[in-house]
Amino acid sequence: MSSYDQHICLIGRGFNRVMSVAEVLAALRWPADDAMAKTLVEAAAAPRQHRKVLRHLGLSVNVEVTRRVLERGVWRAGLQAAAEIRCGTTFSGVDGVAAAGRCLHPGWRHVFAAEPDADRAALLRASGACEHVYSDATAAEATTEAPQVDVWTATFECGPNSGMDRAGESATAAPRADNLGALHRALGYVRHHLARGTPPRVLMLENSANIERLHSDTTAAELDAMLLGLGAYAWEKGILCPTRHANTPNARARVYWLATLRASAQADSGGGSGVGDMTD
């Protein structure tokens, strides 16, 4: 059984109440005392909310794999000894990224999240684990007006790259539009803070590994070019499978892009030389 199938089976066991939400969270390596985990368990106990909460959780990233990617970025940026690491997340879901950060560093501070789905945003607000929750990752509140952070992440919409979604389309269906435009607008946060001289030290993006295979109009090459166009960061990427890279056989393989700020970032206006391989 593939890791993707195991992930679907895990969430399905929650749907069917074979496992509690707390047990599903534990399998996904969410910390038991995490504020968001507590909120998810409490929300699932409300009438008619169990399946909805599990559906939201099924969209979250794998916490342990993400923790390892963030750890790589934090060390490369020299932030591991910092008393506090400020983080902003976009397209946040129920924020497995923030949970991974809290597992990684005792001073992890979730400064803002930007999540367009009203239910997921409500869960983020209810948890109290995030200082600001915005409803649009592409609007001014989450780009030019959001506070400065050390780590900025984007777990952007993966539906257009989903093999399951594509399998449900008819053979004659028109190609689905890509979502790079929304990501480009969300990256306005990074461009804004580069111009102000206060850029994040670490950037991390995450999406379905299918992004490199399913679309001719949504290619990894396009995205790589967009990221290199920021001109201030050293980039690397890798497709990471929870079963192989974190011993957590309960989520699909994902592709991660990781960047650390170069020393000459403020003076650098050109693109980088390329995107390295994170799995080397």
Side-chain angles (χ1 to χ4, degrees):
M1 184 182 291
S2 71
S3 62
Y4 175 82
D5 289 338
Q6 289 172 342
H7 179 251
I8 295 302
C9 286
L10 177 71
I11 299 299
R13 288 171 70 82
F15 279 167
N16 296 320
R17 296 186 182 270
V18 175
M19 294 174 69
S20 68
V21 174
E23 289 171 324
V24 175
L25 283 162
L28 289 171
R29 298 287 186 91
W30 281 65
D33 58 348
D34 187 79
M36 190 68 212
K38 182 173 182 290
T39 298
L40 286 165
V41 173
E42 291 175 348
R48 297 182 296 279
Q49 294 302 304
H50 184 88
R51 290 179 67 88
K52 181 182 287 187
V53 169
L54 266 295
R55 187 171 295 111
H56 291 326
L57 183 61
L59 296 171
S60 73
V61 297
N62 183 280
V63 171
E64 177 59 17
V65 175
T66 302
R67 184 196 67 77
R68 295 185 183 201
V69 175
L70 288 173
E71 182 177 39
R72 184 180 180 103
V74 162
W75 275 86
R76 292 196 169 191
L79 291 170
Q80 69 274 13
E84 176 182 88
I85 298 178
R86 295 166 55 88
C87 177
T89 63
T90 60
F91 309 104
S92 306
V94 293
D95 241 341
V97 170
R102 290 189 287 271
C103 289
L104 171 64
H105 193 283
W108 197 269
R109 179 177 168 190
H110 195 186
V111 176
F112 70 84
E115 173 49 51
D117 181 271
D119 288 335
R120 290 176 228 158
L123 289 169
L124 287 168
R125 292 188 181 97
S127 75
C130 182
E131 297 172 26
H132 306 281
V133 180
Y134 307 126
S135 60
D136 186 349
T138 68
E141 64 176 6
T143 53
T144 59
E145 298 170 9
Q148 186 274 337
V149 295
D150 303 303
V151 178
W152 182 91
T153 73
T155 50
F156 58 106
E157 170 62 38
C158 64
N161 312 310
S162 166
M164 177 174 285
D165 285 3
R166 294 281 293 205
E169 296 177 348
S170 71
T172 58
R176 296 181 60 164
D178 69 50
N179 57 350
L180 293 190
L183 177 61
H184 183 269
R185 293 190 294 275
L187 282 164
Y189 175 89
V190 180
R191 293 189 293 270
H192 173 74
H193 280 277
L194 278 169
R196 289 170 56 92
T198 57
R201 301 266 295 276
V202 178
L203 308 179
M204 189 199 78
L205 288 75
E206 175 267 346
N207 204 268
S208 165
N210 284 330
I211 195 169
E212 298 190 345
R213 298 192 293 270
L214 287 180
H215 294 280
S216 59
D217 58 341
T218 307
T219 63
E222 253 187 290
L223 180 51
D224 289 353
M226 181 193 300
L227 300 178
L228 291 171
L230 293 171
Y233 294 89
W235 285 93
E236 57 182 343
K237 71 176 178 181
I239 294 176
L240 302 180
C241 174
T243 52
R244 290 180 53 205
H245 297 102
N247 195 29
T248 54
N250 47 42
R252 71 196 88 177
R254 310 295 283 178
V255 58
Y256 288 84
W257 289 261
L258 181 68
T260 50
L261 189 69
R262 295 201 298 265
S264 59
Q266 281 77 12
D268 186 354
S269 60
S273 59
V275 177
D277 185 352
M278 189 188 302
T279 58
D280 282 348

